[in-house]
Amino acid sequence: MKVFLPSFTNIVMHYLDILDSSGRLTWHGGAIPDTEVWVKLGGDHGGGTLKLCMQIGNVMHANALSNTIPICIFVEKDSPANLETALAMYREQVTDLMGKQWQGKKIVLYLFGDYEFQTVMYGLSGSSGVRPCLHCLCTKRAMQSPLAHHSDTDSTERTLATLSSDHTGFTQAGSLLAKAKLHHNVIRTAILPMPISNAVIPVLHLDLGVFPWIFDAFEHEVRQLDIKLAAQSDATGGDHSSFAELAGANQALETCKAALVDATAAATLVQQHLQFVALFGQQQNTNMEALAGNLQLGITQALAEVERLETRRQALEGDIQKPS
């Protein structure tokens, strides 16, 4: 089910008039040029629905619920096929709005949403790709090295034109996901024609992802340190097999979790591709469905192995912590 407002352009113009008449418009002390009006368009999935919303940047609390106007609600996941279905009707309206003015001021559109939403909107394969950055062609490997070691290609900025060119190359090569890295991981066309430079970096979402990762890494290192210290404190030269077994169980668990993350990302990408191809009638790769089935089986097995290793690790930690 989809509920939508048909005229996005009229909504923006009418809402700006309301804000102006009520004296609520502001240019934030020059942060927004006085010749521009900023409009944010973005989406999020939650509670079983995909919601596309609009916000005006020229108000005191731009991210407030009272300044958020839903323009489309779609009772589905935010997959590429669903986003294309829900938002295709706004493609021409977005192009039209970017060329309009309100009371002599240029309307500037920005895209907001989490990183997965943004990469889908611009047709990238996602954060698991060789070149996952939305804004440049930097590889995942290069991201882990200093800027001075980056190649010229790594520093090349993406644009709507480069996205279109890469997607053309991808489709001409047979639309094979295994070859996506050869086309800078562009596997679909951009859903809305908004400049990539106007895609707002989702700082909050990045923080929510980075900080738990740092904490988990810290917790892992502390656990390993506890095991080493406990073993060294036994001056009797007794049997340290429990500590060694626990260390091995921890390592196996981390390895299995990493494999599970990779398999899940691959399966998600394949399923999204299958949905997109089925919906828009593109030629299907005969091996894709078999690949999806194999990946799902691997995920099920990996989940079972993670559960088994986690149970074993907790049992070993309990044994070591018992008083002798």
Side-chain angles (χ1 to χ4, degrees), residues 225-237:
L225 182 60
D226 281 344
I227 294 171
K228 292 177 182 179
L229 291 175
Q232 292 173 3
S233 67
D234 187 357
T236 64

Side-chain angles (χ1 to χ4, degrees), residues 181-208:
K181 62 183 179 182
L182 301 180
H183 308 283
H184 304 142
N185 291 96
V186 181
I187 62 174
R188 292 176 296 270
T189 56
I191 295 177
L192 296 178
M194 300 169 64
I196 297 178
S197 57
N198 286 19
V200 180
I201 296 176
V203 178
L204 174 61
H205 292 91
L206 292 176
D207 286 347
L208 291 175

Side-chain angles (χ1 to χ4, degrees), residues 135-185:
H135 299 273
C136 70
L137 299 182
C138 188
T139 64
K140 290 179 69 174
R141 187 172 185 176
M143 290 178 184
Q144 302 174 32
S145 62
L147 285 174
H149 297 166
H150 289 196
S151 67
D152 291 340
T153 301
D154 292 330
S155 303
T156 302
E157 291 187 9
R158 292 189 193 266
T159 64
L160 289 177
T162 65
L163 290 178
S164 177
S165 176
D166 287 333
H167 178 254
T168 298
F170 176 72
T171 55
Q172 290 177 347
S175 298
L176 301 175
L177 290 178
K179 303 293 184 181
K181 62 183 179 182
L182 301 180
H183 308 283
H184 304 142
N185 291 96

Side-chain angles (χ1 to χ4, degrees), residues 290-312:
L291 175 59
N294 290 337
L295 284 169
Q296 193 58 51
L297 176 61
I299 289 172
T300 301
Q301 294 172 342
L303 283 170
E305 182 65 6
V306 166
E307 184 177 0
R308 185 189 70 81
L309 289 170
E310 184 69 42
T311 300
R312 179 58 178 161

Side-chain angles (χ1 to χ4, degrees), residues 277-299:
V277 168
L279 182 62
F280 298 101
Q282 299 179 7
Q283 185 176 0
Q284 180 60 277
N285 188 314
T286 56
N287 296 325
M288 195 66 70
E289 292 186 2
L291 175 59
N294 290 337
L295 284 169
Q296 193 58 51
L297 176 61
I299 289 172

Side-chain angles (χ1 to χ4, degrees), residues 12-13 37 39 97-98 100-102 105-109:
V12 171
M13 295 301 187
V37 173
V39 180
L97 188 60
M98 289 191 295
K100 284 188 175 295
Q101 292 188 349
W102 175 81
K105 301 181 187 299
K106 179 183 178 181
I107 294 179
V108 181
L109 280 180

